[in-house]
Amino acid sequence: MSVPVWNPAVEFMEREALERLQLTRLRQTVAWALKTPFYRRRLAEVGLTHPEDLGSLRDLRKLPYTTKDDLRAAFPDGLLAVDLERTVRLHTSSGTTGMPTVIYHTRPDLDHWTELVARCIVAAGATARDVFQNMTNYGMFTGGLGLHYGAERVGMLVIPVSSGNTGRQIHLMRNFQTTVVHATPSYLLHLHAALAGEGVTVDQLRLRKAFIGAEPHSEETRRKIEALFGIQAYNSYGLSEMNGPGVAFECVHQTGLHLWEDAYMLEIIDPGTLQPLPEGQTGEIVMTTLQRQATPLLRYRTRDLSHLVSGNCPCGRTHRRLARIKGRSDDMLIVNGVNVFPSQIEDVLMKTPEVGTNYLIQLEKRGSLDRLVVKTEIYAKLFTGDPRTLDDLRERIGEALRSAILIKPTVELHEPGSLPVSEGKAKRVVDLRPAF
Ligand code: DLL
């Protein structure tokens, strides 16, 4: 079968040429990074003051790691490598209060990102003849605008509906005969369950493909989505620090996620020792941007765990493939695609005067969607007064959490001493979602 491809010159580039290109772009990236006070200091610490100090790609290992905390500490513009007037957009990470991570883009940066997304879309077999309904949030979340511009570049008819309002999504799908959708896998399952209530059957749709990502999911979940809708679903991996979607994507062969190595240097490291791991071993994904001028990032520790897939893909692309993400090495939770740190919930609770000392964060599956329950102890005297006081408090905590983490959880109020206390390290998160 012929392989659909957007940019054959780059996607099928011989490894040797690809690595030469990487070295040129890595030096350029270091030159950009040196324009920021943060990296000037970090690079000086490892004796690197000039891009030409990098003799070969192996010297990547000399570069310092960058973490999410570094990005937060640099808020808002400590990592900005160009004059503000050259930037045209910024995205911040989801679900954070106080110090989110900020990624600025110049026009060429956005152009490169769009090119990467276009490659992904075409690799998954979609074309200009498709009608594309983008069901992920438009705004700071990169899934909306990221896929939007990629799809327009491919020439698809784009329905920029954004997330939520399932009934409307279903009617748009039927009325405009949508052929490709982009959503989190949990949302697509939820949407399927809602079809009957809207009086719509799968047969009345013309869906043929889905791009699914932004949250961990299993091979079984993918197969389930494929079987329920009678379509192909492709795994899409990305993170806002590396632009967003468009980092790695499955091609029509579904043999792992091709990572665009002309745009990102990829390493898999042992998160304990920080040493690079031999090919095939599972570890933390570390990436260096190769084309982003406004916010270059060196050896960014994603905290995502995966391994490289060996062998060649039948599609013939030379860029290496990542296996499905296995989990994270930190405590970040992903709730219906939104990133949440338990510490953000704790911050809100501890700022609420009525709240006692113990709390528990519980994650459940309700149907195909995640449900976040925050259980918190409050002072005993509050239980004896007007029950409306409790309703008000529940609502107040729920709203405060919504503005902090962008999700309104179910809040439960408990008597002091009623929530489990662990003897060692407090176990604050109970994840009852089925493992995969
Ligand atoms: O989720 C970007 C994106 C949008 C990717 C749309 C794919 C589709 P963040 O909100 O910064 O960015 O969250 C990034 O989500 O570090 C992973 O832990 C997780 N994640 C993203 N894609 C996948 C995936 C976007 N396909 C964080 N499988 C990442 C598993 C994923 N986890």
Side-chain angles (χ1 to χ4, degrees):
M1 101 183 174
S2 74
V3 178
V5 53
W6 178 254
N7 186 340
V10 176
E11 296 177 47
F12 299 140
M13 192 178 264
E14 295 292 338
R15 286 299 305 180
E16 225 176 274
L18 183 56
E19 287 175 12
R20 272 199 306 275
L21 181 66
Q22 286 184 315
L23 183 58
T24 309
R25 290 188 176 169
L26 183 62
R27 287 185 178 136
Q28 174 66 77
T29 296
V30 168
W32 289 331
L34 282 165
K35 294 193 190 301
T36 70
F38 171 81
Y39 278 124
R40 252 200 318 280
R41 197 176 54 248
R42 281 288 171 90
L43 289 167
E45 280 164 14
V46 297
L48 236 146
T49 50
H50 199 271
E52 300 303 319
D53 294 344
L54 292 169
S56 74
L57 281 183
R58 282 188 68 80
D59 289 341
L60 175 69
R61 294 187 185 183
K62 293 184 185 159
L63 300 181
Y65 287 112
T66 309
T67 63
K68 213 178 183 73
D69 285 342
D70 291 329
L71 262 66
R72 290 198 177 124
F75 181 85
D77 57 4
L79 280 156
L80 181 61
V82 297
D83 290 339
L84 206 58
E85 68 180 53
R86 295 190 48 207
T87 57
V88 293
R89 197 196 305 161
L90 65 77
H91 282 272
T92 67
S93 54
S94 60
T96 44
T97 46
M99 303 298 168
T101 62
V102 190
I103 302 298
Y104 295 85
H105 298 273
T106 61
R107 185 154 308 282
D109 291 344
L110 288 183
D111 208 50
H112 293 142
W113 178 16
T114 299
E115 146 82 18
L116 299 180
V117 177
R119 283 186 210 168
C120 295
I121 291 172
V122 171
T127 73
R129 286 186 298 281
D130 280 298
V131 178
F132 175 64
Q133 190 165 325
N134 195 3
M135 300 182 175
T136 54
N137 187 262
Y138 277 62
M140 290 301 200
F141 181 63
T142 52
L145 291 175
L147 258 290
H148 180 96
Y149 286 111
E152 279 193 353
R153 185 161 298 181
V154 170
M156 302 164 100
L157 169 61
V158 180
I159 307 178
V161 52
S162 193
S163 56
N165 202 339
T166 309
R168 183 164 176 239
Q169 299 278 6
I170 290 170
H171 293 292
L172 285 168
M173 283 170 85
R174 192 175 62 175
N175 294 339
F176 294 107
Q177 293 287 283
T178 299
T179 54
V180 179
V181 292
H182 175 223
T184 57
S186 54
Y187 187 70
L188 270 191
L189 289 170
H190 172 72
L191 185 138
H192 184 271
L195 282 174
E198 296 298 322
V200 175
T201 62
V202 167
D203 296 342
Q204 292 172 314
L205 305 177
R206 216 159 63 92
L207 197 62
R208 64 184 199 100
K209 285 177 193 288
F211 305 148
I212 52 175
E215 65 183 9
H217 59 284
S218 62
E219 183 63 27
E220 289 67 39
T221 298
R222 179 241 291 276
R223 295 296 169 211
K224 189 167 172 187
I225 291 171
E226 292 189 331
L228 287 173
F229 287 99
I231 59 171
Q232 265 79 52
Y234 300 92
N235 192 357
S236 155
Y237 168 71
L239 55 157
S240 40
E241 293 81 1
M242 293 288 133
N243 294 342
V247 174
F249 218 86
E250 284 180 328
C251 72
V252 288
H253 298 284
Q254 298 180 322
T255 61
L257 300 124
H258 291 275
L259 185 131
W260 302 122
E261 290 188 89
D262 60 312
Y264 305 100
M265 284 298 296
L266 170 65
E267 295 171 273
I268 306 278
I269 65 160
D270 178 327
T273 64
L274 302 188
Q275 291 308 306
L277 286 170
E279 184 131 355
Q281 280 192 29
T282 297
E284 179 178 339
I285 303 170
V286 169
M287 278 186 276
T288 301
T289 59
L290 290 176
Q291 278 187 302
R292 201 171 58 206
Q293 187 166 10
T295 320
L297 288 184
L298 306 178
R299 304 188 87 194
Y300 181 69
R301 293 189 57 187
T302 65
R303 301 287 178 174
D304 291 320
L305 302 173
S306 177
H307 67 264
L308 286 174
V309 177
S310 59
N312 297 324
C313 179
C315 76
R317 284 182 182 78
T318 48
H319 301 238
R320 290 178 299 171
R321 282 162 297 151
L322 282 174
R324 183 178 293 286
I325 307 299
K326 291 193 182 58
R328 293 186 50 87
S329 67
D330 66 4
D331 59 354
M332 188 173 92
L333 306 168
I334 302 187
V335 185
N336 294 323
V338 177
N339 305 346
V340 176
F341 284 94
S343 58
Q344 298 176 280
I345 296 177
E346 178 167 318
D347 281 353
V348 169
L349 293 178
M350 294 307 141
K351 272 189 209 141
T352 312
E354 293 88 345
V355 162
T357 50
N358 203 3
Y359 69 91
L360 194 70
I361 299 166
Q362 191 162 302
L363 285 149
E364 301 164 0
K365 263 287 182 225
R366 173 161 297 181
S368 51
L369 291 183
D370 297 329
R371 179 164 179 257
L372 177 65
V373 185
V374 174
K375 304 180 179 199
T376 180
E377 291 182 5
I378 58 167
Y379 293 114
K381 60 175 188 297
L382 293 164
F383 286 101
T384 52
D386 186 345
R388 275 176 311 187
T389 320
L390 294 181
D391 290 341
D392 289 349
L393 178 59
R394 218 177 277 117
E395 183 58 21
R396 188 149 42 86
I397 295 175
E399 279 306 321
L401 285 167
R402 188 215 297 272
S403 66
I405 60 173
L406 311 181
I407 298 170
K408 189 167 178 187
T410 304
V411 176
E412 288 182 8
L413 304 177
H414 292 259
E415 305 232 7
S418 59
L419 291 177
V421 190
S422 60
E423 290 185 346
K425 216 166 130 58
K427 191 166 165 33
R428 302 290 199 191
V429 179
V430 178
D431 198 339
L432 300 175
R433 295 176 294 187
F436 54 84

